[in-house]
């Protein structure tokens, strides 16, 4: 019987090796390679009615062996991002900037799950139990039957979870956990990877849902190796600007639901309140129509969202004009400016261009191209678009306009919020969008000529 060969990893960068060496080839550090050791192997698995490691045929799985239904937290926005609720035996990673509200959200979620009958343990490695209780009292959650623990030793945490067998365990945060079999400081790559691996394995082995809190680096990535994101089933990012009252919970990976789904929350004195109509929130501070202001009808996951795009075009005092973007891809802005100049004959030399997505929302879909072009042209020509008009569509390098997906859902959301007209590419499926005037364009030149009288 073949025995497993030992594996080694670098405690500084996390690189894996088949044998020990004095110097790490990944980061160049000396004496940082250690042999990997597991904390617990666990009892033989009884899943699927087979012995551990044995394979079964997919068609042999009966309905009795199907996983139990999802657990609902009672927080609709959180359940939406999770894909309809919490899947048993799932591992979830929640990342976000410091102070953005991760612990507040998860403490509220723990209270809601516990009130719904889900046995829940909240393990804090950053606060004492009394401090967590004070925060729960401030949020009005003192009566929630949530068990609290303040511990950073991974072995002690796993022992407690083995003994109590909760349905949900929240670990806040994974960077504070340390495994005594790994010779490195807490928060290092090796410690984060080892802790995430053990907790994820425990979730699968015991049928316990585990939520891990992860800090985010200056680059916007979850601190630690990217392999942590591959270990878990779902990765959620908690986003938002400190100057705005709302927060966005975004799914970037989900094995049990759609990715890129978002949930919107508003930060209040009593914690995070869910926002069921984010479009109204994003447009709540929009005043009278002004040059450079355009409403974009976008799609975030499965949800249509209306957001205001703001542009400013001004003469540049510098030899090289500035291109400043907040909430959108700067490379795509450069592409749109090039298309406007090459296909429509509108120059931007010597002009600074500023683009901002109002409210701090980050937009990734290419359907915002036409709205960005409209905002830039509106600012350049000092001509405001009609206040009750939404714009969306993708711009190709040839200047042609390509239809966006889910046109009907975008138009329905705009109509629901009182918009009366829309500008979109020709060819989009707008079935059922009655009561809203749809102005379709086939190329960017026609759009510039009809809307701004130039090109």
């Amino acid at each position: 019987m073949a025995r497993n060969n030992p594996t080694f990893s670098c405690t500084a960068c996390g690189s894996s090796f088949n044998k020990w060496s004095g110097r790490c080839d990944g980061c160049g550090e000396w004496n940082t390679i250690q042999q990997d050791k597991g904390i617990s192997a666990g009892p033989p698995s009884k899943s699927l009615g087979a012995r551990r490691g044995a394979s079964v045929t997919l068609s042999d799985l009966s309905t009795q062996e199907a996983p139990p239904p999802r657990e609902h937290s009672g927080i609709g926005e959180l359940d939406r991002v999770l894909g309809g609720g919490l899947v048993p035996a799932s591992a979830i990673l929640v990342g976000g900037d410091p102070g953005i509200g991760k612990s507040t959200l998860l403490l509220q979620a723990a209270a809601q799950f516990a009130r719904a009958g889900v046995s829940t343990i909240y393990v804090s490695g950053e606060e004492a139990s009394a401090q967590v209780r004070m925060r729960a009292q401030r949020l009005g959650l003192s009566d929630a039957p949530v068990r609290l623990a303040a511990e950073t030793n991974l072995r002690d945490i796993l022992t407690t979870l083995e003994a109590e067998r909760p349905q949900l365990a929240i670990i806040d945060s994974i960077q504070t956990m340390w495994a005594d079999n790994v010779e490195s400081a807490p928060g290092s790559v090796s410690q984060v990877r080892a802790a995430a691996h053990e907790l994820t394995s425990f979730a699968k082995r015991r049928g316990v849902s585990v939520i891990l809190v992860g800090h985010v680096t200056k680059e916007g990535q979850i601190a630690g190796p990217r392999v942590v994101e591959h270990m878990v089933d779902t990765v959620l990012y908690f986003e938002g600007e400190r100057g705005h009252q709302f927060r966005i919970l975004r799914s970037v990976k989900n094995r049990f639901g759609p990715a890129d789904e978002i949930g919107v929350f508003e930060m209040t004195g009593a914690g995070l309140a869910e926002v069921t109509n984010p479009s109204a929130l994003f447009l709540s501070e929009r005043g009278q129509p002004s040059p450079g202001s355009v409403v974009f009808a976008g799609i975030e996951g499965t949800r249509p969202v209306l957001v205001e795009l703001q542009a400013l075009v001004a003469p540049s005092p510098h030899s090289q004009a500035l291109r400043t973007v907040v909430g959108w891809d700067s490379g795509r802005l450069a592409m749109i400016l090039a298309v406007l100049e090459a296909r429509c004959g509108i120059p931007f030399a010597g002009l600074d261009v500023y683009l901002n997505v109002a409210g701090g929302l980050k937009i990734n879909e290419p359907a915002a191209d036409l709205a960005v072009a409209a905002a830039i042209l509106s600012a350049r020509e000092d001509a405001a678009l009609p206040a009750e008009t939404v714009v969306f569509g993708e711009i190709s390098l040839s200047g042609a306009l390509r239809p966006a997906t889910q046109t009907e859902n975008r138009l329905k959301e705009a109509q629901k919020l009182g918009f009366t007209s829309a500008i979109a590419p020709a060819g989009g499926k707008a079935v059922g969008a009655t009561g809203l005037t749809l102005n379709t364009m086939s190329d960017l030149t026609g759009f510039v000529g009809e809307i701004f009288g130039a090109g």
Side-chain angles (χ1 to χ4, degrees), residues 173-350:
S173 67
I174 189 65
Q175 275 83 12
T176 60
M177 301 296 116
W178 65 278
D180 51 18
N181 63 307
V182 179
E183 298 180 2
S184 60
S188 63
V189 172
S190 299
Q191 288 284 3
V192 171
R193 183 171 60 178
H197 172 71
E198 291 294 337
L199 290 168
T200 303
S201 299
F202 174 81
K204 304 302 180 184
R205 186 173 67 249
R206 295 302 190 190
V208 177
S209 299
V210 175
I211 299 179
L212 311 176
V213 178
H215 297 302
V216 169
T217 62
K218 293 180 179 179
E219 292 76 21
Q221 303 295 332
I222 292 179
R226 294 302 298 269
V227 69
V228 174
E229 297 189 14
H230 297 290
M231 290 180 183
V232 298
D233 301 308
T234 304
V235 178
L236 308 178
Y237 277 92
F238 205 40
E239 306 170 353
E241 299 290 339
R242 294 183 181 273
H244 297 90
Q245 75 275 20
F246 61 86
R247 304 289 186 265
I248 298 173
L249 185 64
R250 186 185 302 272
S251 170
V252 297
K253 171 190 174 182
N254 194 350
R255 290 174 178 163
F256 313 115
D260 292 328
E261 187 66 86
I262 68 167
V264 184
F265 299 87
E266 183 178 5
M267 181 64 75
T268 66
L272 290 163
E274 52 183 326
V275 178
T276 57
N277 190 353
S279 297
L281 177 64
F282 292 137
L283 299 177
S284 60
E285 299 179 0
R286 185 170 183 258
Q288 295 297 323
S290 61
S293 175
V294 172
V295 176
F296 164 61
I299 295 289
E300 293 288 343
T302 60
R303 156 184 275 165
V305 176
L306 268 61
V307 64
E308 181 185 5
L309 301 182
Q310 300 170 347
L312 175 64
V313 178
S316 176
H318 309 286
S319 59
Q320 185 175 3
L322 297 178
R323 303 288 186 259
T324 304
V325 185
V326 178
W328 206 51
D329 183 14
S330 58
R332 203 157 186 93
L333 173 63
M335 183 201 76
I336 290 178
L337 294 177
V339 172
L340 285 172
E341 186 163 354
R343 305 301 179 188
C344 303
I346 302 176
F348 286 90

Side-chain angles (χ1 to χ4, degrees), residues 107 120-124 128-130 132-134 136 146-150:
L107 185 59
T120 305
I121 290 183
Y122 186 96
V123 181
S124 175
S129 297
V132 178
R133 194 175 293 110
M134 287 176 57
V146 179
R147 286 170 285 178
L148 301 178

